[in-house]
Amino acid sequence: MEHPENCAEYKGLTVNAGIEQPASVNPYLKNRPRHKKRELSVADYVDGIVKGETTILSQAVTLVESLKPEHQAVAQEVIEKCLPYAGSSIRVGISGVPGAGKSTSIDVFGLHVLEQYGGKLAVLAIDPSSERSKGSILGDKTRMEKLSVHPKSFIRPSPSAGSLGGVARKTRETIILCEAAGYDKIFVETVGVGQSETAVHSMVDFFLLIQLAGTGDELQGIKRGIMEMADGIVINKADGDNLERAKLAATQFRNALHLFPAPESGWTPQVLTYSGFYNLGVKEIWDMVYKYMDFVKENGYFEYRRNEQSKYWMYESINEQLRDSFYHNPKIEAMLGEREQQVLQGNLTSFVAAKSLLDTYFEDMKR
Ligand code: GDP
């Protein structure tokens, strides 16, 4: 029996059979005429971007991030046409370990610079872990409550597909689109884990490192390379019980900075304490950033550095494309595993294995 409750022993309790359930898909849906979205042309994209239309800008960024060759072709054309409108912004890299307070701080920093200096702000991100975790945490709108609803801000999470080099290139290209759309302040956020800092450093004018006090041996956890990149180190959560510890940490960082060679820019990296949560000391941080900008524009380093970065990205693009072409070559894909095994088993030296693979690749390219 379908409903045992209907048995005679369950007195006073009956269950109706109910009706047949309707299909979960609306049967009339397929009769509706479908309007295919018109594909935008390169000129449409460029026009929309230059006019500052955020919907078009977002669509163009999606194109930049796409792995489809036909999207990439359009994206590259759009970027090229946007280049003459780009370049006139200040680009700030913001890094810190998870929990350092990046999202809280960027929210406050963003509001401060918009209020103090006007203009428009784009917040982008490079998250090397996003490929594994299938979804980026950095640059996520929900983490920046006030900034995300600010009319002059544009927040975009990290591109998620591909190698760190590929992800970083896409962020760099997105910077160009944002600048063409009139964003004159760009924040690039990243997690403090090493390689991604180098990528961010190669596309920003000022590198801001957020640190925490009170984790014990402060300086040990910091990779030397990251500290050397910093133009400013800011100790967050300098509030309440933590204030003294933050000040102490600042002194330790200042002392540690003396051990590094003087930066090429001629600028002496500053160490400041602040509280993102209570909005204390935020003005001082941005006074410092703008002072740095004046300083490097005055001594020519700003221009020099941007040129160096362009050169770096030219070589990065070459490397990335060569690597891609090599590893996606069907002949190489077929041979690679076998050669690797031979090397592991000691039947082939690494050098000979590499040479045989490269020879095969170059031979294949000739055809
Ligand atoms: P993220 O992982 O680097 O983006 O860090 P979040 O911005 O998410 O902050 C991590 C935690 O630290 C949150 O619980 C924040 O509320 C807290 N936090 C952030 N800034 C401050 C601060 O200035 N003072 C204090 N006391 N807590 C803060």
Side-chain angles (χ1 to χ4, degrees):
M1 182 181 278
E2 195 184 353
H3 294 292
E5 301 90 331
N6 294 353
C7 285
E9 57 190 281
Y10 294 107
K11 288 197 177 58
L13 188 67
T14 56
V15 176
N16 290 333
I19 60 158
E20 201 177 309
Q21 288 302 304
S24 58
V25 176
N26 180 352
Y28 303 106
L29 196 64
K30 59 176 176 285
N31 298 333
R32 240 178 43 188
R34 277 174 190 256
H35 297 290
K36 199 163 181 290
K37 216 161 90 180
R38 188 176 75 88
E39 292 220 349
L40 296 176
S41 68
V42 170
D44 292 333
Y45 278 116
V46 177
D47 197 48
I49 290 171
V50 173
K51 281 187 186 143
E53 290 173 20
T54 37
T55 328
I56 307 270
L57 174 63
S58 292
Q59 286 171 6
V61 175
T62 305
L63 221 54
V64 165
E65 291 174 357
S66 167
L67 295 177
K68 289 191 183 157
E70 62 268 30
H71 288 169
Q72 272 304 311
V74 179
Q76 289 309 320
E77 254 190 273
V78 173
I79 292 165
E80 204 179 314
K81 296 217 159 59
C82 281
L83 265 176
Y85 304 98
S88 55
S89 73
I90 68 159
R91 306 169 183 166
V92 181
I94 300 177
S95 170
V97 293
K102 289 183 297 302
S103 16
T104 316
S105 303
I106 291 175
D107 209 26
V108 182
F109 290 169
L111 292 179
H112 174 79
V113 293
L114 286 171
E115 204 169 286
Q116 189 85 17
Y117 302 96
K120 297 203 288 183
L121 167 72
V123 180
L124 313 175
I126 293 181
D127 182 357
S129 63
S130 62
E131 195 192 1
R132 254 171 293 140
S133 59
K134 290 291 167 225
S136 170
I137 36 162
L138 294 187
D140 187 348
K141 290 181 183 193
T142 52
R143 294 161 61 238
M144 294 154 201
E145 268 176 42
K146 297 200 192 84
L147 208 53
S148 60
V149 292
H150 197 288
K152 301 282 183 194
S153 84
F154 177 77
I155 300 177
R156 185 87 188 187
S158 170
S160 58
S163 60
L164 172 62
V167 169
R169 177 176 58 78
K170 288 169 191 169
T171 303
R172 186 164 193 270
E173 290 173 344
T174 302
I175 292 181
I176 295 169
L177 300 185
C178 289
E179 289 179 350
Y183 291 86
D184 60 347
K185 294 161 192 64
I186 314 275
F187 290 176
V188 185
E189 180 188 8
T190 195
V191 276
V193 289
Q195 276 184 321
S196 54
E197 269 80 10
T198 318
V200 172
H201 188 247
S202 62
M203 63 180 82
V204 297
D205 307 312
F206 189 98
F207 192 78
L208 189 69
L209 184 61
I210 299 182
Q211 291 290 344
L212 289 179
T215 44
D217 39 8
E218 271 80 18
L219 301 175
Q220 290 203 345
I222 304 156
K223 294 190 189 71
R224 196 193 139 120
I226 300 179
M227 248 181 94
E228 272 187 80
M229 274 188 253
D231 300 298
I233 296 178
V234 288
I235 323 268
N236 190 16
K237 309 195 186 179
D239 47 51
D241 294 346
N242 208 30
L243 184 59
E244 287 311 313
R245 266 182 294 172
K247 283 186 182 162
L248 182 67
T251 313
Q252 290 176 335
F253 275 106
R254 275 186 207 108
N255 291 338
L257 277 174
H258 287 307
L259 304 175
F260 296 136
E264 237 186 331
S265 58
W267 167 262
T268 313
Q270 312 272 302
V271 182
L272 299 172
T273 58
Y274 79 108
S275 166
F277 194 78
Y278 294 102
N279 201 347
L280 300 168
V282 170
K283 181 182 179 300
E284 286 73 9
I285 294 177
W286 291 92
D287 287 353
M288 164 181 74
V289 175
Y290 275 83
K291 203 169 136 198
Y292 169 89
M293 292 296 166
D294 289 342
F295 179 78
V296 291
K297 280 184 180 165
E298 180 87 22
N299 73 4
Y301 183 76
F302 182 86
E303 187 73 28
Y304 164 81
R305 172 86 184 273
R306 286 224 172 161
N307 288 339
E308 283 293 304
Q309 289 176 338
S310 297
K311 196 171 86 183
Y312 170 88
W313 282 100
M314 182 184 92
Y315 287 110
E316 268 300 299
S317 301
I318 294 173
N319 293 345
E320 192 199 337
Q321 282 176 41
L322 281 180
R323 211 178 299 133
D324 239 40
S325 160
F326 178 79
Y327 286 110
H328 287 121
N329 180 297
K331 285 200 173 144
I332 297 300
E333 281 180 335
M335 272 174 81
L336 206 57
E338 190 192 329
R339 288 285 181 276
E340 194 184 293
Q341 278 310 316
Q342 287 170 325
V343 170
L344 285 175
Q345 286 158 9
N347 298 333
L348 215 56
T349 67
S350 319
F351 180 77
V352 173
K355 184 163 179 342
S356 85
L357 285 161
L358 286 167
D359 284 348
T360 309
Y361 174 74
F362 290 132
E363 209 42 55
D364 195 48
M365 284 292 110
K366 277 191 204 149
R367 285 199 207 121

